[in-house]
Amino acid sequence: MINDSDSISIGKLAQLCGVTVRTLQYYDRSGLLPASFNRSGRREYSGEDLIKLQQILFLKSLGFPLKKINGNLLKTGNLAELGRLFNRQKKILIKQKNHLERTINALDMLIGESEKGRRVSIEKMMAVLEVMKQENPCAFIIWYFSDGQLEKIAKDFSSSGKYQTFMDSFTGLFAELQLLYNRHADPSGPEAQRIAAGWWNMVSRFSNGDSEILNTLMKSGQDMDNWPDETEPMRKVFQELLAPALGYYFKQNNIMVDENNS
């Protein structure tokens, strides 16, 4: 058993904690885990340093950057503050996890297209990268569009602020839709019909008068059973509330939709 006052050589500390001597030298130079020096000029550590190193390695395993560990975590004994820092780090890791999952799903789609012998164009791959970067929850829909349609959409959305306006509209409408779904709202009721109208206007603006793009969007909605697994919560809201609300809205406003797409 090692006591706080015991002296531990750098080699022994590295062995005890499963790190390299070079790592401990770096931690010393960076001020993260300063060493003492004996008469021979060799680095040595105490039992307290051993505990501190174990904390560093634990926090590092959670994804905390070394500067965050050095600047905040190890200088406070306030458990509440540590809890807040852990929560913030958890949110960062969840965001990274979600990004990785979207990346994996996009790669799965590319692999699936390749395995089916289909040519995946540079345009579609670039579109995949762009929507992944923007964290678009409906990124998978780009697979329904042809290269020519993607080119038209990209050209239309290249104007300043148009993409963000669309995403703000989508996010706001879906949030309202989710609330109505949780309340088991009537699809033909006034609130659901207001959202249906807003949704149809948003879709119409997205297609920018191009009937082929509009039809592709309708087909993607018809194909919800084949949407990625991570869209299940959103898919339920669409299937059980938005789809019937739009159907009623179309009927009430004499909007003709291709039967194959409705």
Side-chain angles (χ1 to χ4, degrees):
M1 181 175 178
I2 296 174
N3 298 314
D4 286 354
S5 58
D6 291 344
S7 294
I8 310 170
S9 69
I10 189 170
K12 182 64 174 178
L13 184 62
Q15 182 183 12
L16 287 171
C17 294
V19 298
T20 66
V21 168
R22 181 169 294 184
T23 295
L24 293 178
Q25 290 170 341
Y26 173 73
Y27 287 174
D28 179 17
R29 290 195 303 271
S30 65
L32 184 60
L33 187 66
S36 300
F37 289 86
N38 61 24
R39 292 180 179 178
S40 301
R42 296 181 180 276
R43 288 180 174 87
E44 61 180 17
Y45 298 86
S46 66
E48 185 179 343
D49 290 328
L50 170 62
I51 295 172
K52 188 174 182 181
L53 177 59
Q54 289 171 334
Q55 292 181 59
I56 292 170
L57 297 176
F58 169 68
L59 296 170
K60 189 170 178 287
S61 74
L62 295 180
F64 282 93
L66 294 181
K67 287 183 179 179
K68 179 72 71 173
I69 295 172
N70 191 29
N72 295 288
L73 294 179
L74 299 178
K75 293 183 179 180
T76 176
N78 188 322
L79 294 179
E81 178 61 21
L82 286 177
R84 284 191 287 271
L85 288 167
F86 281 146
N87 278 320
R88 286 202 293 270
Q89 187 65 12
K90 179 182 176 181
K91 290 177 182 178
I92 292 171
L93 292 174
I94 288 173
K95 188 174 181 180
Q96 292 173 346
K97 170 179 171 285
N98 292 339
H99 177 71
L100 285 173
E101 287 177 346
R102 285 191 300 272
T103 303
I104 290 168
N105 289 332
L107 288 172
D108 282 341
M109 291 178 183
L110 285 169
I111 292 167
E113 294 291 297
S114 299
E115 289 178 346
K116 292 174 185 176
R118 297 174 182 170
R119 175 181 171 273
V120 180
S121 67
I122 293 296
E123 289 81 3
K124 189 156 287 190
M125 284 192 283
M126 291 301 293
V128 169
L129 292 173
E130 185 63 23
V131 294
M132 280 167 46
K133 182 175 67 177
Q134 294 167 343
E135 301 183 5
N136 189 325
C138 293
F140 64 92
I141 289 179
I142 66 172
W143 293 100
Y144 291 92
F145 293 108
S146 68
D147 291 347
Q149 289 173 336
L150 284 174
E151 187 177 349
K152 288 181 181 179
I153 293 169
K155 185 176 180 180
D156 184 43
F157 275 73
S158 63
S159 60
S160 178
K162 191 162 186 180
Y163 176 83
Q164 191 58 50
T165 299
F166 169 78
M167 286 307 303
D168 289 346
S169 179
F170 174 89
T171 302
L173 285 170
F174 183 77
E176 292 185 77
L177 195 66
Q178 180 76 65
L179 289 173
L180 292 185
Y181 175 79
N182 293 340
R183 285 162 38 193
H184 306 287
D186 180 0
S188 63
E191 290 179 305
Q193 284 303 292
R194 178 180 58 80
I195 293 177
W199 201 275
W200 181 244
N201 288 334
M202 178 184 68
V203 167
S204 299
R205 290 196 302 272
F206 180 89
S207 63
N208 199 26
D210 189 309
S211 60
E212 290 185 359
I213 290 177
L214 181 60
N215 285 338
T216 299
L217 281 171
M218 299 298 288
K219 287 178 181 176
S220 69
Q222 183 69 15
D223 194 42
M224 277 190 274
D225 288 340
N226 292 317
W227 285 8
D229 291 342
E230 69 270 15
T231 66
E232 183 178 358
M234 180 170 66
R235 190 166 66 232
K236 282 187 175 181
V237 177
F238 284 175
Q239 288 176 323
E240 297 175 23
L241 180 56
L242 182 60
L246 281 172
Y248 186 82
Y249 177 79
F250 293 157
K251 185 176 180 181
Q252 292 299 111
N253 292 276
N254 297 315
I255 297 173
M256 303 299 294
V257 180
D258 189 325
E259 290 184 358
N260 292 324
N261 300 330
S262 60

